[in-house]
Amino acid sequence: MGKFSIKTTEKGCRFNLVAGNGEVIASSQVYKSLRSCKGGIASVQACAPIANIEDQTKEGWEAAKCPKFQVYLDKAGEFRFRLLAKNGQNICHGEGYTRRQGCMNGIESVRKNAADAPIVMEEA
């Protein structure tokens, strides 16, 4: 089972969604407060299971309605995803993958792990 790991920084706090094997599946932006960070987690938990997939790496792709996972190529040519909330705000993003299927597997892992993942505070 996965978990949301919250870590505080000098500028605020951020979360990682961590799979049962210890791998980070998705990361957030830095939030100014713990409360807003937990709100971001709640948004991931609500949106991930129902989010559409907008694959911008396919020719002729069509925009999907939010909430959605956007799949795109970064400047280094790696496949990445970001999860956009119902209001279009970016709530988390994945790492770079060399293959599209790896990125799609990352999305499925977020869907699988986010809904009931406990929240833990990590030491700074």
Side-chain angles (χ1 to χ4, degrees), residues 3 11 50 73 86 95-96:
K3 67 180 179 182
K11 296 181 181 181
I50 62 167
L73 287 171
K86 293 176 185 176
E95 64 181 41

Side-chain angles (χ1 to χ4, degrees), residues 8-83:
T8 56
T9 69
E10 291 179 10
K11 296 181 181 181
C13 57
R14 63 187 316 243
F15 68 80
N16 287 321
L17 176 58
V18 182
N21 65 2
E23 292 291 320
V24 173
I25 310 166
S27 301
S28 75
Q29 64 184 14
V30 175
Y31 292 90
K32 291 182 181 179
S33 71
L34 178 59
R35 181 178 177 191
S36 59
C37 186
K38 286 184 176 181
I41 290 171
S43 188
V44 171
Q45 290 175 317
C47 294
I50 62 167
N52 297 301
I53 296 179
E54 179 181 283
D55 189 347
Q56 298 177 357
T57 67
K58 288 187 173 181
E59 190 173 323
W61 64 272
E62 292 186 25
K65 184 178 177 185
C66 289
K68 65 184 171 184
F69 285 98
Q70 285 183 324
V71 178
Y72 63 98
L73 287 171
D74 66 13
K75 291 178 183 178
E78 291 189 316
F79 293 87
R80 291 188 178 266
F81 69 83
R82 61 183 149 238
L83 176 58

